[in-house]
Amino acid sequence: MKLNRRHFIGTSAAAAASLSAPMVLADGHGKPRVVVVGGGAGGATAARYIAKDSKGAIDVTLIEPTRMYYTCFFSNLYLGGFKDIEDIGHSYGSLAAGGVNVVHDWAVGVDRDAKTVSLAGGGSVPYDKLILSPGIDFVDGAVEGWDLSAQNAMPHAYKAGSQSELLKAQLMAMPEGGTFAMVAPPNPYRCPPGPYERVSMVAHFLKANNPTAKIIVADPKPKFSKMSLFQEGWANHYEGMIDWIGEDFGGGNVSVDPNAMTVTIDGEETKVDVCNVIPAMKAGRIAEIAGVTDGNWAPVNAADMSTKADAEIYVLGDASQQGDMPKSGFSANSQAKVCANAVRGALTGSKVFPARFSNTCWSLIDTNDGVKVGASYEATDEKIAKVEGFISKTGESADLRKATYEESEGWYAGITADMFG
Amino acid sequence: MTVRFTSLLTFLAAALVAGVSSATEVGDAVNGAKVFQQCKACHQVGEGAKDRVGPQLNGVFGRRAGVIEGFRYSKSMDRMGNDGLTWTAQTLDAYIENPKALVSKTRMNFKGIKDAADRDDLLVYLRQFSDDPANFPEAEPTATATDHDIDPAILALQGDPEYGEYLAGDCSTCHQRDGEDAGIPSITNWPAEDFVVAMHAYKRKLRPHPVMQMMAGRLSDEEIAALAAYFEALE
Ligand SMILES: Cc1cc2nc3c(=O)[nH]c(=O)nc-3n(C[C@H](O)[C@H](O)[C@H](O)COP(=O)(O)OP(=O)(O)OC[C@H]3O[C@@H](n4cnc5c(N)ncnc54)[C@H](O)[C@@H]3O)c2cc1C
């Protein structure tokens, strides 16, 4: 089948880009051009590394609609009261100072024959290599009764920023003894321990401010990341507060009513005060528009993150289907550096070193009770394959858990510096 | 009875064949006491021992690193203790051989004892001041590979800084280039030799941190040298 390569996002994205940047013109100075779509964990890192390492030999343009990037990582700690919203916001000023041409706009179309990306604000940007790191969007109809128009009544808070602030405000406004519900997502999704760290942080907040409140989690999965660590922590810190309903008890059979504020789990309807719906996910829409997805995600080659569909287009982070790495900020950052090295090599002939990847995800269960899981990975012909991994153990000493939490703070400072400079 | 750590494995193997005999003249606490002379400026051991420049050493075997109440350890030592470093014959042996191999920024300003036999004797001597002194074979794992020190050929490797720069991408996700060290130590501008020695200690799992064991585990000698060269020269 011949792909129709010219596609455009509808008007909603275009309307959202009311603060669009001026027209970007192709300039004719002959340098190779890299366009990066999405200034998150994958895209910001890739743009920064290519600009920094090519020392001006490559023209790097980053297209990102928001002026402040709020990290999803540590957004749960914001819910728990361990961080302020300002702590997790990052502007693009330092990337621009580092030589990246930052354009605040939405990419709405990709013309793979002409090799241009079109912008919501008008105009298009030519590329020699295109890197897409658009993160996730939600699968339509994944949770019965919920769609994006319900995201104010029932926030997902799975893209950080105003959604995180909304969920926090709802949490703070919960009546005494009220109920917080979460609808957890099916695999694969962004940040496997994320929903459960969030449950821990919500419980931490409620324990101090609303101790008779309850948390119900409807989960379509029979088990989840770091499960024994979270369950141990919940029993130790939040005894009796959290009711996790897994697949075996109908946790996957869920519908919600955002007007009535009810959640129905396996036929049983409950009135709730806050409902955090985290639907099934797919690659950010622009990947599909570019025609590089197969099903919900974009299959890529492990050696350089180029897509199976188009050798000039690369997909990083959550949107990619790469094999064994979890969808995390750490993974996206790691993949971005491999990709940056390969793209620079392809465009300037610089040395290309073999791909290697790693990931570690820290989670906070309660004050000074941090845990982690991680692994190293290599590129094989079929996929990014896991080499070796580790996970925190149940029953660890309080000192180690505290050190693990402090380490996560060090990591946060490290990765954000690595992304933005 | 005295036991020399180095030959313990051989000894045990031989003992299985021959039956334990009295002919196990290994490790010499008397010589160990002499070796301890060079430690005495800073450490006390035995009855009434107190913390001085270094902590007192009674009961050091089986003790977690950095836990003596009131003693001011380096940040590095605190970290290692939290990571799970415990003093056993093996870790003490590595530490005494080259303190920086185990604890990069230790306050123990000591070049190390390179002679394996002297270290064994010293450990036999020190072991008398920990619980269960006489019982080497039964006690806590005492069998140990001897030389932890790095082959000089590995230390002499000239790393390729360009490759190091690429590999450093794996480090800078956590270790900040600007030298900030809250929660995670800084590795910027580290002397290359310290870097190499530390990475090899992780690789051999002498240092306890699981992330670092994993990261170091997949680096070749050349790659470690490349990283060391890069971080040493980082501006
Ligand atoms: C609650 C929570 C906790 C988490 N905790 C951790 C953690 O502790 N550690 C960890 O490693 N990871 C964590 N993650 C996961 C992490 O946030 C993601 O895996 C990571 O952000 C993925 O990076 P990315 O580049 O793929 O996407 P993102 O970081 O989401 O970046 C995508 C960017 O693309 C932009 N974009 C999208 N479409 C377009 C378009 N058409 N045109 C232009 N720009 C576009 C978006 O505005 C966005 O800025 C967490 C996630 C959540 C939700």
Side-chain angles (χ1 to χ4, degrees):
Chain A
M1 187 189 99
K2 183 151 180 1
L3 279 173
N4 175 5
R5 291 184 170 183
R6 186 181 283 271
H7 312 261
F8 290 95
I9 286 188
T11 48
S12 66
S18 50
L19 288 171
S20 68
M23 268 252 280
V24 182
L25 300 166
D27 53 0
H29 56 50
K31 277 192 212 169
R33 291 159 307 202
V34 171
V35 173
V36 181
V37 174
T45 308
R48 184 169 98 83
Y49 269 72
I50 294 171
K52 165 173 88 64
D53 294 341
S54 72
K55 301 185 173 68
I58 298 176
D59 209 52
V60 183
T61 300
L62 174 67
I63 303 170
E64 162 62 51
T66 67
R67 276 156 206 275
M68 276 293 245
Y69 175 78
Y70 289 93
T71 58
C72 284
F73 24 110
F74 276 18
S75 67
N76 288 328
L77 274 61
Y78 159 69
L79 289 179
F82 292 89
K83 300 286 163 201
D84 293 328
I85 196 76
E86 296 78 35
D87 295 336
I88 61 169
H90 304 268
S91 83
Y92 291 91
S94 50
L95 271 186
V100 175
N101 177 22
V102 181
V103 176
H104 287 299
D105 204 345
W106 286 91
V108 290
V110 175
D111 184 329
R112 281 163 50 184
D113 294 324
K115 293 176 97 176
T116 57
V117 177
S118 50
L119 303 180
S124 63
V125 193
Y127 67 82
D128 295 302
K129 296 278 188 188
L130 174 61
I131 298 174
L132 303 176
S133 193
I136 51 115
D137 272 314
F138 300 112
V139 172
D140 290 337
V143 175
E144 195 186 325
W146 192 93
D147 62 27
L148 270 185
S149 70
Q151 70 174 353
N152 289 343
M154 294 187 169
H156 52 78
Y158 235 63
K159 297 182 184 186
S162 57
Q163 276 279 304
S164 322
E165 290 183 292
L166 181 61
L167 186 61
K168 173 127 187 192
Q170 294 180 353
L171 175 63
M172 291 170 77
M174 261 173 74
E176 196 183 324
T179 301
F180 180 104
M182 171 188 281
V183 178
N187 289 320
Y189 61 96
R190 151 178 287 187
C191 193
Y196 312 99
E197 181 187 57
R198 175 170 296 171
V199 166
S200 309
M201 290 294 95
V202 167
H204 171 84
F205 176 86
L206 292 174
K207 187 178 171 183
N209 298 287
N210 190 348
T212 54
K214 292 267 174 284
I215 300 172
I216 329 174
V217 185
D219 204 323
K221 305 181 290 297
K223 57 185 173 48
F224 56 82
S225 169
K226 300 181 192 163
M227 184 159 174
S228 56
L229 294 168
F230 281 115
Q231 288 187 329
E232 175 195 53
W234 294 349
N236 287 345
H237 302 296
Y238 313 119
E239 169 86 82
M241 186 181 261
I242 301 163
D243 186 9
W244 179 76
I245 303 167
E247 187 197 31
D248 300 352
F249 294 90
N253 179 15
V254 181
S255 65
V256 297
D257 183 339
N259 295 319
M261 282 306 285
T262 56
V263 180
T264 305
I265 304 170
D266 210 21
E268 196 182 318
E269 185 182 278
T270 310
K271 177 102 179 69
V272 301
D273 299 291
V274 180
C275 189
N276 175 208
V277 176
I278 310 175
M281 294 166 209
K282 60 179 184 179
R285 200 71 217 284
I286 191 72
E288 188 184 337
I289 290 167
V292 295
T293 51
D294 179 8
N296 285 338
W297 310 101
V300 295
N301 299 303
D304 61 358
M305 304 302 291
S306 63
T307 56
K308 304 267 186 198
D310 186 331
E312 309 304 338
I313 302 184
Y314 301 71
V315 174
L316 303 178
D318 292 355
S320 68
Q321 180 184 309
Q322 31 70 22
D324 297 347
M325 295 184 85
K327 297 183 187 301
S328 75
F330 200 124
S331 296
N333 168 270
S334 174
Q335 293 158 10
K337 287 178 266 194
V338 167
C339 175
N341 182 254
V343 164
R344 188 162 62 91
L347 294 177
T348 66
S350 64
K351 237 194 231 168
V352 177
F353 297 106
R356 59 168 74 215
F357 307 91
S358 55
N359 176 60
T360 300
C361 284
W362 285 265
S363 302
L364 186 61
I365 300 176
D366 198 353
T367 308
N368 288 329
D369 192 359
V371 292
K372 64 188 168 194
V373 60
S376 59
Y377 303 85
E378 65 187 7
T380 67
D381 288 346
E382 303 93 75
K383 62 172 183 176
I384 298 184
K386 179 169 165 177
V387 178
E388 190 195 346
F390 64 85
I391 183 164
S392 296
K393 298 182 181 56
T394 52
E396 283 172 344
S397 74
D399 285 348
L400 176 54
R401 290 295 177 87
K402 179 165 184 274
T404 303
Y405 171 58
E406 286 166 358
E407 195 173 270
S408 74
E409 292 200 293
W411 162 77
Y412 185 89
I415 190 172
T416 49
D418 205 38
M419 288 163 63
F420 297 106
Chain B
M1 183 184 99
T2 51
V3 175
R4 186 181 294 283
F5 287 95
T6 44
S7 44
L8 195 61
L9 281 174
T10 340
F11 158 63
L12 286 174
L16 282 177
V17 179
V20 182
S21 73
S22 57
T24 52
E25 199 43 49
V26 279
D28 176 358
V30 176
N31 183 48
K34 282 188 205 142
V35 178
F36 189 70
Q37 295 297 331
Q38 38 181 328
C39 316
K40 266 186 163 165
C42 303
H43 290 284
Q44 297 188 350
V45 72
E47 220 181 303
K50 292 207 171 46
D51 297 335
R52 292 293 179 205
V53 177
Q56 61 85 9
L57 296 173
N58 292 335
V60 67
F61 281 77
R63 186 158 80 200
R64 196 146 59 81
V67 292
I68 291 186
E69 207 61 49
F71 185 79
R72 214 164 61 86
Y73 292 97
S74 63
K75 209 168 176 177
S76 256
M77 185 65 85
D78 279 341
R79 257 183 189 136
M80 279 295 148
N82 285 334
D83 288 353
L85 179 64
T86 298
W87 296 123
T88 63
Q90 192 195 28
T91 53
L92 279 170
D93 190 39
Y95 189 61
I96 295 167
E97 184 178 14
N98 178 1
K100 284 183 173 176
L102 278 200
V103 188
S104 301
K105 298 205 172 141
T106 179
R107 291 221 176 88
M108 182 155 116
N109 191 4
F110 178 63
K111 62 186 184 325
I113 299 173
K114 301 301 164 195
D115 186 299
D118 276 352
R119 289 200 307 275
D120 283 349
D121 294 343
L122 176 63
L123 290 178
V124 167
Y125 170 74
L126 283 177
R127 183 65 198 234
Q128 299 173 340
F129 305 101
S130 289
D131 290 343
D132 237 356
N135 249 350
F136 284 108
E138 284 78 30
E140 254 276 289
T142 50
T144 161
T146 29
D147 277 323
H148 306 285
D149 233 3
I150 311 221
D151 184 342
I154 292 180
L155 278 179
L157 282 174
Q158 283 302 317
D160 168 3
E162 193 189 350
Y163 190 27
E165 179 170 17
Y166 169 69
L167 293 170
D170 249 6
C171 312
S172 58
T173 308
C174 297
H175 297 274
Q176 294 173 70
R177 284 171 205 254
D178 66 6
E180 184 52 58
D181 68 351
I184 291 183
S186 168
I187 54 176
T188 297
N189 296 140
W190 241 17
E193 184 169 328
D194 291 3
F195 190 103
V196 171
V197 157
M199 290 301 278
H200 281 277
Y202 281 119
K203 200 172 152 85
R204 297 182 201 176
K205 304 201 191 298
L206 281 169
R207 289 190 179 209
H209 198 274
V211 179
M212 287 310 303
Q213 286 184 356
M214 177 183 88
M215 301 308 274
R218 64 173 171 180
L219 294 170
S220 68
D221 296 348
E222 287 74 20
E223 288 170 338
I224 290 176
L227 280 167
Y230 172 72
F231 278 107
E232 181 171 51
L234 201 60
E235 276 155 34

